[in-house]
Amino acid sequence: NEDLPCDTKVELFGLGEPLEHLNGLEAKTLRYLPEIKAYDIDLPLGQALVPAAHVQPTAASVYEAQEVLEVALAQQEARKYNLGLVAGAQVQLRHTEGPLAQHCNALAMVIQYQASTCPRYEVKLVDPPDWPCRRCTFLNPHHASTCGACQAPGTGLGTLWVAAAHVVPLIKNTGALKELAQAHWGEQERLASASAAGAVAGSACL
């Protein structure tokens, strides 16, 4: 029951204190956190972080349960493919460091892909954090385009550049896995060819 897609209907079970009261409740997955093998769960009364071992998908039939399992397995495979993602692709940020550390495991949408020696993406966060004004330090809501205290231009706005190595595509069905793999390997080959051509051109200039 690891790597269930976002918005999967699930039931909680086997929880002890202090989450025992959640047993038997139906909910939806918001995101999976691989490092700790847990889900952010959307419950009727709010959100909770629940270990994956206590989360099981609800299915109306054996066929539906098998379909959910196949998508989860495909998602685990999809984590290997992070090159050549198209605009609009849903992604999760992984192992971000430095100024981006606060966005680890955040959900986002690809705005554009920039191919280079270090491929990267511009992404828009699904749930961007509030941002502090660089001029007066006032904490502004994420949707504000200017500081509410001093009117300085906004610095948050929910978009950022992230190295491709820290981006994981999220899929809704098994068919998407093949497309991701083809795009990734094709882009990897193109980058390798471009690098080799650059090295030859550099040698010719010596």
Side-chain angles (χ1 to χ4, degrees):
N1 56 355
E2 296 180 21
D3 255 325
L4 296 174
C6 299
D7 295 325
T8 298
K9 293 181 179 179
V10 296
E11 181 180 351
L12 309 185
F13 71 98
L15 291 165
E17 291 293 345
L19 299 178
E20 187 176 11
H21 62 287
L22 300 180
N23 288 327
L25 289 182
E26 293 189 355
K28 288 195 305 181
T29 57
L30 295 175
R31 61 175 177 170
Y32 179 60
L33 286 68
E35 295 86 354
I36 59 175
K37 294 187 177 181
Y39 289 95
D40 269 335
I41 297 293
D42 186 20
L43 292 160
L45 298 179
Q47 297 180 17
L49 185 64
V50 180
H54 300 289
V55 175
Q56 62 183 6
T58 57
S61 65
V62 174
Y63 171 80
E64 186 177 326
Q66 181 64 28
E67 187 175 33
V68 172
L69 175 60
E70 290 176 355
V71 175
L73 293 174
Q75 178 60 65
Q76 292 179 25
E77 181 73 12
R79 291 183 177 275
K80 302 176 183 178
Y81 307 126
N82 53 26
L83 294 177
L85 300 179
V86 299
Q90 302 299 309
V91 298
Q92 184 175 21
L93 309 186
R94 292 288 313 282
H95 304 306
T96 49
E97 303 172 341
L100 299 181
Q102 64 174 316
H103 302 304
C104 185
N105 285 314
L107 303 181
M109 180 184 71
V110 170
I111 297 176
Q112 62 175 313
Y113 170 66
Q114 185 178 79
S116 63
T117 53
C118 182
R120 62 178 188 159
Y121 292 95
E122 183 182 17
V123 301
K124 183 175 181 61
L125 298 174
V126 172
D127 186 19
D130 295 341
W131 54 274
C133 177
R134 292 179 179 175
R135 179 188 295 172
C136 70
T137 71
F138 181 76
L139 189 63
N140 294 274
H142 66 83
H143 56 76
S145 59
T146 59
C147 177
C150 70
Q151 306 307 308
T155 57
L157 308 183
T159 62
L160 58 150
W161 285 93
V162 186
H166 299 305
V167 174
V168 173
L170 299 178
I171 61 176
K172 292 289 188 180
N173 56 70
T174 55
L177 180 61
K178 183 177 180 180
E179 296 177 8
L180 284 174
Q182 290 175 338
H184 176 90
W185 294 121
E187 178 63 7
Q188 188 173 74
E189 184 176 347
R190 190 193 68 78
L191 291 172
S193 297
S195 177
V200 170
S203 298
C205 293
L206 297 178

